[in-house]
Amino acid sequence: PVDHLSEVIVSALEDAVGDGDFPLLIAGEGERRWAAHIRDLVVDECLQTGDDEDKSIDSTDDFGGDTLASTPSTPEDALAPAAGQMRPLKIEPSNCVDVLPVVMDEPIFDYSEGNAETSPYGGSLGPLLLDTVIERSRMHHPRVIAIGDVHGCIDELQALLKECDYHPGDLVVFLGDLVCKGPDSLGVVQLAREIGAVGVRGNHDFEVLRWHRKIASGADLPVVGTEHFHIATSLSDADIQWLGNLPWYISSRDLGVLFVHAGFVTGIKLAKQNPRMMMNMRSILPDGTATSKFFTNWPWARLWDGPDTVLFGHDADRGLQQYKHAIGLDTGCVYGGRLTAYILPEGRLVSVDAKQQYFMYKRKHY
């Protein structure tokens, strides 16, 4: 029966999306042997809106939807996206991005036979059905996955996304310092672009961009370049553009969350925060001085009084930090620690062990 055939195909394609395994040529070859009316029925089935009893695509168990349905009431109630408030990302004058959990700029394509030539992949049914599953996944309210400092640890990043049960439609937000110190900075930036991730600018990202600007301006090149210099010369134009578009911080009104690399000074409006401090600060001293130095008893986050919760990285010395209105996610992966994510709106921490120590940890404590 067509219904059963549709269920089998959708289930297989969902597995393919989740595992990163896309046997499109095989699927396409088999599908091209279908009769035209079977093809139309299957495509129509895959595009059902969920008003009938078939839950093969619309089940809340698909694409992590069960975690959204069971969101606890606490501050997380305010984290759920309000109906009718889905809108695309926009960059505000304060160098902040207002990011929402759901970004739906594109409609589902017209997959009818008459529109085959203008459909994705020229109407080839194998990729077409896979594309359908991906588009349908985006219509479920996806999750936001905030990830701490990656520092080029590509294997750990891929393992963390798998551990988080990442699916297309989930929005990944990097908390800065995607590059440097680890084994594959280029791979991390490329993966971030490929999955449509966003992020905030870290101090190492900033240094790579600074070198890129110096090179582009014709400045004299160093005889022995730093790691930042070599990364700047190796990234593609698209990678540089993506990295250069990272704002100082991201604000989500619907989630009630701020994303920043290092931190904020409490009592100062977001638009007045110092970008250098947002990329570098670790401590606020009793006299109110914000500093990038590590003072054991004076983490800046202890002073942050909300109301928005801040998700931040940068401070591997303190590891995982959990305050009432601030959560620090730099758990020192590149130093042999762990790579950590915080999943919204459910408020769940997920982490994976580093495969090895890639960089010797050196820090002065005060």
Side-chain angles (χ1 to χ4, degrees):
V2 172
D3 288 353
H4 175 69
L5 181 60
S6 299
E7 288 187 27
V8 172
I9 293 172
V10 170
S11 177
L13 289 173
E14 289 173 356
D15 291 341
V17 172
D19 297 337
D21 182 21
F22 303 101
L24 298 182
L25 295 178
I26 297 175
E29 185 65 29
E31 293 161 7
R32 278 189 284 273
R33 291 196 294 267
W34 296 349
H37 71 285
I38 294 294
R39 169 193 166 115
D40 292 342
L41 284 172
V42 171
V43 172
D44 183 65
E45 187 68 31
C46 288
L47 293 176
Q48 288 295 324
T49 59
D51 295 331
D52 55 17
E53 296 180 355
D54 180 9
K55 301 299 182 183
S56 60
I57 295 181
D58 295 293
S59 166
T60 54
D61 292 332
D62 292 339
F63 310 107
D66 55 332
T67 57
L68 295 177
S70 60
T71 301
S73 62
T74 49
E76 281 80 8
D77 264 352
L79 303 181
Q85 292 189 1
M86 296 183 291
R87 51 192 184 275
L89 303 180
K90 62 180 181 180
I91 297 179
E92 298 185 342
S94 59
N95 286 320
C96 157
V97 169
D98 180 53
V99 60
L100 302 180
V102 181
V103 182
M104 283 292 293
D105 292 321
E106 303 172 4
I108 292 180
F109 295 100
D110 176 4
Y111 291 104
S112 64
E113 186 172 2
N115 197 49
E117 291 185 0
T118 59
S119 295
Y121 310 102
S124 175
L125 196 56
L128 182 151
L129 286 181
L130 177 60
D131 193 61
T132 303
V133 173
I134 294 173
E135 290 296 324
R136 287 309 310 273
S137 75
R138 295 177 63 195
M139 296 189 69
H140 292 263
H141 290 306
R143 303 166 303 162
V144 173
I145 303 174
I147 297 178
D149 301 34
V150 179
H151 281 299
C153 298
I154 186 67
D155 290 342
E156 289 82 355
L157 175 57
Q158 291 172 328
L160 182 61
L161 291 173
K162 185 174 182 180
E163 189 69 21
C164 291
D165 193 27
Y166 167 80
H167 283 73
D170 291 334
L171 180 62
V172 175
V173 181
F174 289 100
L175 297 178
D177 280 3
L178 287 85
V179 300
C180 295
K181 300 184 180 181
D184 192 358
S185 294
L186 305 187
V188 169
V189 176
Q190 290 166 3
L191 177 59
R193 286 200 302 111
E194 288 169 1
I195 65 175
V198 297
V200 294
R201 186 175 304 189
N203 51 305
H204 287 280
D205 311 317
F206 177 83
E207 188 67 12
V208 168
L209 292 168
R210 189 178 71 85
W211 270 112
H212 174 74
R213 286 192 292 270
K214 289 186 67 174
I215 296 168
S217 68
D220 293 337
L221 302 183
V223 176
V224 179
T226 64
E227 183 184 13
H228 300 94
F229 167 79
H230 290 296
I231 292 173
T233 58
S234 300
L235 289 171
S236 69
D237 290 343
D239 292 336
I240 286 290
Q241 183 177 10
W242 185 88
L243 208 61
N245 285 334
L246 297 180
W248 306 123
Y249 69 93
I250 291 173
S251 171
S252 172
R253 289 187 291 269
D254 285 347
L255 290 171
V257 171
L258 297 168
F259 306 83
V260 71
H261 179 57
F264 295 113
V265 177
T266 190
I268 298 178
K269 293 181 179 180
L270 293 178
K272 300 294 184 180
Q273 296 279 336
N274 185 327
R276 186 169 294 278
M277 286 293 100
M278 285 188 275
M279 291 190 296
N280 291 281
M281 67 184 294
R282 291 186 178 90
S283 307
I284 295 182
L285 304 183
D287 64 0
T289 301
T291 174
S292 63
K293 295 179 180 179
F294 176 90
F295 286 86
T296 304
N297 297 322
W298 307 109
W300 72 268
R302 84 193 193 283
L303 298 175
W304 183 258
D305 54 3
D308 289 340
T309 296
V310 178
L311 299 182
F312 64 100
H314 187 60
D315 196 353
D317 272 298
R318 295 187 173 95
L320 180 66
Q321 301 180 62
Q322 294 180 276
Y323 298 91
K324 183 177 181 180
H325 295 294
I327 300 174
L329 297 179
D330 185 359
T331 46
C333 180
V334 75
Y335 307 114
R338 299 175 69 83
L339 185 62
T340 300
Y342 188 76
I343 303 177
L344 297 163
E346 61 202 84
R348 179 164 61 95
L349 287 163
V350 179
S351 65
V352 297
D353 289 323
K355 293 177 65 175
Q356 66 180 76
Q357 181 180 16
Y358 301 101
F359 195 86
M360 185 63 67
Y361 191 74
K362 296 178 291 185
R363 178 79 68 211
K364 291 182 180 180
H365 290 193
Y366 299 87

